[in-house]
Amino acid sequence: MTVLERFRRGEIRGLSRIVSFVENREAGFQELLGHLYTKAGHSLRIGVTGPPGAGKSTLVDGLAAHFLKDGKRVGIVAVDPTSPFTGGALLGDRVRMNQMPADGSVYFRSMATRGATGGLAGATDNVAVVYDAFGFEVTLIETVGVGQVELDIVDSCDSVVVVLVPESGDAVQTMKAGLMEIADIFCINKSDRPGAERIAADLKQMLDTRKAKDDDWRIPIVSTEAITSKNVDRLYGRRARLCGSLSTNRTF
Ligand SMILES: Nc1nc2c(ncn2[C@@H]2O[C@H](COP(=O)(O)OP(=O)(O)OP(=O)(O)O)[C@@H](O)[C@H]2O)c(=O)[nH]1
Ligand SMILES: [Mg+2]
């Protein structure tokens, strides 16, 4: 059986090979992508971004579990533009990958810089197209930080969750970093830590100021403790928001 046949049959092994093929830009990958594009357009793309160690992976796994429970197949891609590693999954991500069910309902891929940040947004986009064509109803894209590359990566998402933690500093910094513009939902994770209420209140105040100028501007803030799954269901409960302005066949 060819790789493409395996892919079409929904086999993870086929998917994995196709993702690598596209990621490594092997000869003919553009043609293949062109073909896959015609099969894509059904997957909801959710970006999850925030500072290093904020709990993004833990949250993404929690959200993925909720989607899976609701019968949705989920593709995850974690992008780390700042990683010193060249290619391949990071150690923690390998552990994570091993814990994924092997039934084809979920797949995880980690992308490091491979030496150059240029084109990383495009590469992420390509992987998301492969996921979409494979039949994943949801694609979760985790990315670290707040630089231009990260902003480019989440640009193609239907919605973006910005994860902050009590240590993230004040809301003014968040605004300066351009996060206000991209967030559809704010998640204050590690709410078990001191200062969580303060940052949530700060953020709310800042958002309220924005709202006064623009009535449509209303970004929910959800406080979570991803490590114990506390309130992750509340974040998931905002999935009408997560689904953005998608057509009804893509809303859950
Ligand atoms: N106290 C506390 N720790 C948490 C919480 N959520 C995650 N952590 C811990 O924070 C650490 C980082 O979690 P990750 O999910 O790997 O964070 P991340 O944002 O994906 O990290 P990077 O991908 O390296 O930027 C881990 O040790 C988690 O167990 C939380 O709600 N409370
Ligand atoms: Mg992570």
Side-chain angles (χ1 to χ4, degrees), residues 11 18 51 59-60 70 103 107-108 111 117-118 122 129 138 173 194 200 210 222 233 236 240 251:
E11 289 183 26
I18 300 276
L59 276 168
V60 162
D70 279 350
D103 62 0
Y107 180 74
F108 170 82
M111 288 167 63
T117 50
V129 169
V138 181
Q173 272 173 285
R210 284 295 275 266
V222 181
D233 57 339
Y236 183 68
T251 50

Side-chain angles (χ1 to χ4, degrees), residues 19-59:
V19 171
S20 298
F21 185 81
V22 166
E23 212 192 337
N24 297 329
R25 306 171 72 86
E26 284 175 42
F29 87 96
Q30 274 162 323
E31 263 174 273
L32 176 65
L33 263 182
H35 167 70
L36 295 179
Y37 258 110
T38 65
K39 313 275 174 208
H42 310 289
S43 186
L44 171 70
R45 248 189 240 188
I46 302 173
V48 177
T49 192
K56 299 177 296 296
S57 298
T58 317
L59 276 168

Side-chain angles (χ1 to χ4, degrees), residues 26 30 51 57 98 104 111 121 125 141 144 170 184 193 212 250:
E26 284 175 42
Q30 274 162 323
S57 298
N98 290 337
M111 288 167 63
D125 213 47
I141 300 177
V144 188
D170 61 17
D184 294 288
R193 296 234 174 123
R250 286 197 285 176

Side-chain angles (χ1 to χ4, degrees), residues 11-190:
E11 289 183 26
I12 287 291
R13 202 144 58 106
L15 170 65
S16 187
R17 291 281 301 280
I18 300 276
V19 171
S20 298
F21 185 81
V22 166
E23 212 192 337
N24 297 329
R25 306 171 72 86
E26 284 175 42
F29 87 96
Q30 274 162 323
E31 263 174 273
L32 176 65
L33 263 182
H35 167 70
L36 295 179
Y37 258 110
T38 65
K39 313 275 174 208
H42 310 289
S43 186
L44 171 70
R45 248 189 240 188
I46 302 173
V48 177
T49 192
K56 299 177 296 296
S57 298
T58 317
L59 276 168
V60 162
D61 289 1
L63 285 174
H66 277 286
F67 279 116
L68 285 169
K69 210 167 62 194
D70 279 350
K72 307 297 173 195
R73 297 164 72 209
V74 185
I76 302 171
V77 51
V79 194
D80 188 351
T82 58
S83 169
F85 297 88
T86 49
L90 311 179
L91 188 61
D93 288 339
R94 280 196 198 283
V95 174
R96 179 180 179 190
M97 204 155 25
N98 290 337
Q99 290 167 342
M100 297 280 172
D103 62 0
S105 59
V106 62
Y107 180 74
F108 170 82
R109 176 67 75 121
S110 166
M111 288 167 63
T113 58
R114 290 172 194 271
T117 50
L120 198 57
T124 310
D125 213 47
N126 291 345
V127 171
V129 169
V130 175
Y131 280 3
D132 193 336
F134 186 70
F136 287 134
E137 284 121 334
V138 181
T139 298
L140 293 164
I141 300 177
E142 171 190 340
T143 184
V144 188
V146 290
Q148 189 55 47
V149 182
E150 296 85 340
L151 296 182
D152 287 347
I153 288 168
V154 295
D155 200 36
S156 70
C157 289
D158 296 301
S159 65
V160 177
V161 180
V162 171
V163 185
L164 298 173
V165 284
E167 296 83 4
S168 297
D170 61 17
V172 177
Q173 272 173 285
T174 309
M175 198 170 82
K176 278 195 192 142
L179 291 172
M180 293 281 181
E181 277 67 31
I182 62 163
D184 294 288
I185 304 181
F186 274 108
C187 172
I188 310 289
N189 191 43
K190 304 198 181 181

